[in-house]
Amino acid sequence: MAALDPVKGRQALQRYRIMAWVTGTMLLILCLEMLLKYAVRVGPDVLSWIGWVPFAHGWIYVVYLVTVMDLWSKMRWDFGRLAAMVAAGVVPVMSFVLERRVHADAVARLEAAPAR
């Protein structure tokens, strides 16, 4: 089994952190879009301005999943951590909360890794 590479791990962690925040923000915007569309029932003029949100969140979520898989594989975490990180992209606010915990765990693991 190969040793944990701290440089690659830190790079993967930085990419994950950025995508966790972008994905979480887009998910909150998506929730607002759905609220406006289905609860408030805004007119077609407003819908034309917010119709891009579901598509944008979907593609951003795909990029988020790539960064999750990259970090998860570099850190050699268990499948439970992977499932939580994947779910964080579709549960409002969870990406912000989990990002802090993942960051703390990853930093601790990277600092404990022997230098190459």
Side-chain angles (χ1 to χ4, degrees), residues 41-99:
R41 297 196 183 270
V42 295
D45 54 332
V46 175
L47 288 176
S48 68
W49 283 92
I50 60 175
W52 60 270
V53 173
F55 300 106
H57 171 68
W59 285 108
I60 288 170
Y61 182 67
V62 170
V63 175
Y64 170 76
L65 288 177
V66 170
T67 62
V68 163
M69 290 296 295
D70 183 40
L71 180 62
W72 173 78
S73 66
K74 284 183 175 48
M75 292 291 129
R76 296 182 184 83
W77 283 322
D78 62 8
F79 283 104
R81 173 65 58 97
L82 176 63
M85 291 169 72
V86 166
V90 293
V91 177
V93 184
M94 186 175 168
S95 69
F96 303 118
V97 174
L98 192 64
E99 181 273 327

Side-chain angles (χ1 to χ4, degrees), residues 13 16 71 77 81 85 97-107:
L13 178 60
Y16 164 76
L71 180 62
W77 283 322
R81 173 65 58 97
M85 291 169 72
V97 174
L98 192 64
E99 181 273 327
R100 289 185 59 94
R101 182 171 182 172
V102 166
H103 179 257
D105 291 349
V107 167

Side-chain angles (χ1 to χ4, degrees), residues 8-67:
K8 288 183 180 179
R10 282 184 177 76
Q11 292 169 346
L13 178 60
Q14 186 61 31
R15 288 188 296 271
Y16 164 76
R17 293 186 77 193
I18 291 167
M19 286 312 301
W21 277 88
V22 170
T23 303
T25 302
M26 280 305 299
L27 184 56
L28 292 177
I29 293 170
L30 177 64
C31 290
L32 177 62
E33 184 264 350
M34 291 174 58
L35 180 70
L36 290 172
K37 187 174 182 178
Y38 297 113
V40 178
R41 297 196 183 270
V42 295
D45 54 332
V46 175
L47 288 176
S48 68
W49 283 92
I50 60 175
W52 60 270
V53 173
F55 300 106
H57 171 68
W59 285 108
I60 288 170
Y61 182 67
V62 170
V63 175
Y64 170 76
L65 288 177
V66 170
T67 62

